Amino acid sequence: MPLNAVTALPSFTRPVKATLSVAVFSLMLGLVGCNKAETPEQGADTDAPVETTAPVAGQDAATNSTATANSDQVVTIYSSRNEQLIKPLLDQYTEETGVKIELVTDKTGPLMARLDAEGKNTPADMLLTVDAGNLWQAAEQGLLQPVSSPILEANVPAKYRDPKGLWTGLSLRARTIFYDPSKVDAAQLSTYADLADPKWKGKLCLRSSKAVYNQSLVASMMENLGVEKTEQVIRGWVDNLATDVFSDDTSMLEAIAAGQCEVGVSNSYYYGRLLDEKPNFPVKIFWANQDTTGTHVNISGAGVIANSDNPDGALKLMEWLSSDKAQGLYASSDKEYPVKEGIDESDLLRSWGPFKQDTISVQKFGALQTQSIQLMDKAGYK
Ligand code: FE
C-alpha cells in the first residue's frame, strides 16, 4: 500500500484510518519484526505467531470490513493471545450480538509499538494480552483509556483490575511448581524460595528471566520476602540449574518429563494443555507456598485503546468476557482459572485441587517490573 495513496484521501474517516494503519504497519514491520526476545512456543500467549490478521465469524479477509460495516458493529482487537484459544470465545460473542470482531494477533511488544506509531489513526479498539506486567506497561505508555463499569466491578475482584480503570483481568493463571514423581516426593516441596536450597543442586529447570511471567513472579517475591532475600533465592536457583534456561514453559515441562531435571516452575495451563495431548504425561503439579503467602497468580486481561473509535463496543465485549458464560469457557477450553468468583471450574482444574492464592494485587507486578529485571540480571539469572 503506497503511502501517497493514503495522503490523497480527503478525511480521516474510519475506513481511511484502517488504510493508514496498514501503511504505517508495513513500515513498522521492519522495525519490530526482528525484535524477538524469545523463541516461539507452541500454544503460547506471549509468543503468538507474527502478524496474522484473522477476521472472525465469516468476515471477508480480502476487504476492509470496516469500510462496509457500521463502526459500532465492529470491534478491532490487538491481541497477543493464542488465536486458537481466544477465537471460540469471540465467535460466541459475534453469534450472540451480531458484532463483528477483527482480530490482529502478534506479540505484546510489537502490538504496543504499533499502537504507539499509529497514534490517533489506529483501527484498534481493545488490547487483549497476558500478564499484569504487560497491561501495566501499556497503561504507562498512554495506550489505554480509563473505563468505569459496574459490571466489571461486580465480576472482577479489585486486586485483578487497575484502580484507574485502564485495564481489567479476564482470566487467572497460577505459576507454580512441577515435579517428576518418580524422583521427588511432594513432601520434599514447599515454596519457590525452597527451590534455592542446595538439596535441589543440578535438579532444577527454569524458563528464561526474559519471560514477563518470571518478572512478575520475582516482583511478587520482592514484595513478600524483601529485595535482599529475593536476590539470595535467585542466586540459589541459578546455582541449582540442571541445564540452560528454557525459552518457554512447555519445553521446561517436557524436560522434567524426559528426566533432564526433577523440579521446575510453569504456568498451570501449559501443563493442562500437555495433559490434553498426553493424558499420561509423567509430571505432577504442586501448589507452592501453601503454608506461607499462597501460590503466585497472574491474569490475562484487556483494556480499551486510548484512540479507539468504538470504546463502547470494546467495553461491552470486555464486560461480556467477564460474564458467567465466557468465564466458564476460559476454564474449559483455555485451562485457565475464571477471574470471577463462583464459576464452576472444569474437571481438569478440579482434579488439581483447591489452593491458596497469593493475595498480592497484580498491579504491583508492573510497578516492580524494572527492579525485578535488574535483580535477576544482578543475580546471574539469564
Ligand atoms: Fe502463556
Side-chain angles (χ1 to χ4, degrees):
M1 180 71 62
L3 270 176
N4 58 7
V6 172
T7 51
L9 291 168
S11 65
F12 281 49
T13 60
R14 189 176 168 87
V16 175
K17 284 178 62 168
T19 311
L20 242 187
S21 70
V22 170
V24 170
F25 184 60
S26 29
L27 284 177
M28 286 188 51
L29 267 181
L31 298 177
V32 298
C34 56
N35 183 23
K36 290 178 189 167
E38 299 177 82
T39 52
E41 172 181 2
Q42 192 70 31
D45 289 320
T46 48
D47 302 317
V50 174
E51 179 46 23
T52 54
T53 304
V56 173
Q59 218 166 275
D60 183 354
T63 61
N64 261 326
S65 63
T66 46
T68 52
N70 180 336
S71 67
D72 290 348
Q73 290 303 306
V74 179
V75 175
T76 299
I77 304 177
Y78 281 12
S79 167
S80 73
R81 304 238 39 200
N82 180 282
E83 192 183 318
Q84 277 175 300
L85 295 177
I86 204 70
K87 195 167 175 296
L89 272 160
L90 301 176
D91 283 348
Q92 185 75 43
Y93 184 70
T94 298
E95 197 177 300
E96 280 183 27
T97 62
V99 174
K100 289 180 178 168
I101 291 170
E102 287 195 349
L103 186 64
V104 177
T105 302
D106 204 340
K107 291 185 186 180
T108 307
L111 287 175
M112 289 202 275
R114 179 173 175 174
L115 282 167
D116 200 37
E118 288 173 340
K120 289 192 160 50
N121 297 315
T122 188
D125 301 306
M126 181 197 287
L127 178 67
L128 190 65
T129 187
V130 294
D131 205 290
N134 283 334
L135 289 158
W136 181 88
Q137 194 61 249
E140 276 293 290
Q141 289 182 27
L143 302 174
L144 305 176
Q145 63 173 278
V147 297
S148 171
S149 162
I151 294 175
L152 288 177
E153 281 163 28
N155 289 348
V156 183
K159 64 182 172 178
Y160 301 129
R161 282 185 278 116
D162 176 59
K164 294 184 208 132
L166 290 162
W167 48 264
T168 182
L170 293 170
S171 66
L172 296 182
R173 51 269 303 284
R175 191 158 188 76
T176 194
I177 296 172
F178 292 84
Y179 66 100
D180 175 351
S182 73
K183 294 175 186 154
V184 176
D185 189 305
Q188 295 170 265
L189 295 163
S190 58
T191 62
Y192 306 103
D194 175 69
L195 297 178
D197 189 284
K199 74 184 177 198
W200 300 113
K201 183 115 184 146
K203 297 176 178 174
L204 175 65
C205 277
L206 290 177
R207 183 175 179 167
S208 161
S209 65
K210 292 183 180 65
V212 69
Y213 300 153
N214 282 335
Q215 292 161 12
S216 291
L217 172 63
V218 167
S220 75
M221 289 168 61
M222 288 163 68
E223 186 70 12
N224 288 332
L225 303 174
V227 175
E228 209 173 306
K229 171 70 179 161
T230 303
E231 183 181 338
Q232 282 172 18
V233 169
I234 298 168
R235 286 188 190 281
W237 285 354
V238 173
D239 283 347
N240 287 343
L241 286 178
T243 181
D244 288 346
V245 293
F246 291 81
S247 61
D248 59 80
D249 284 2
T250 303
S251 309
M252 195 287 302
L253 288 166
E254 283 169 341
I256 298 176
Q260 206 174 353
C261 36
E262 298 181 12
V263 284
V265 174
S266 168
N267 281 1
S268 50
Y269 54 88
Y270 291 113
Y271 177 60
R273 292 172 201 168
L274 279 166
L275 282 177
D276 244 8
E277 289 167 28
K278 306 168 197 170
N280 297 320
F281 188 68
V283 172
K284 294 263 187 228
I285 188 168
F286 177 85
W287 294 121
N289 290 34
Q290 291 304 284
D291 295 332
T292 58
T293 51
T295 300
H296 174 72
V297 169
N298 207 320
I299 56 170
S300 83
V304 178
I305 301 299
N307 291 312
S308 165
D309 277 351
N310 186 13
D312 292 344
L315 180 57
K316 282 198 184 99
L317 173 54
M318 271 163 58
E319 289 174 341
W320 183 85
L321 288 168
S322 76
S323 69
D324 287 17
K325 185 176 194 176
Q327 289 291 301
L329 286 169
Y330 271 116
S332 56
S333 62
D334 285 14
K335 316 285 187 275
E336 291 180 270
Y337 288 91
V339 75
K340 187 174 184 214
E341 283 160 11
I343 301 291
D344 193 25
E345 295 168 352
S346 64
D347 289 344
L348 179 70
L349 298 192
R350 262 193 301 277
S351 75
W352 299 343
F355 64 98
K356 180 170 104 179
Q357 297 177 12
D358 192 342
T359 55
I360 189 172
S361 172
V362 299
Q363 299 136 24
K364 295 260 183 196
F365 304 160
L368 290 169
Q369 193 174 61
T370 304
Q371 226 186 323
S372 162
I373 292 167
Q374 285 168 349
L375 193 68
M376 289 191 283
D377 187 54
K378 189 179 166 200
Y381 182 9
K382 303 268 189 237

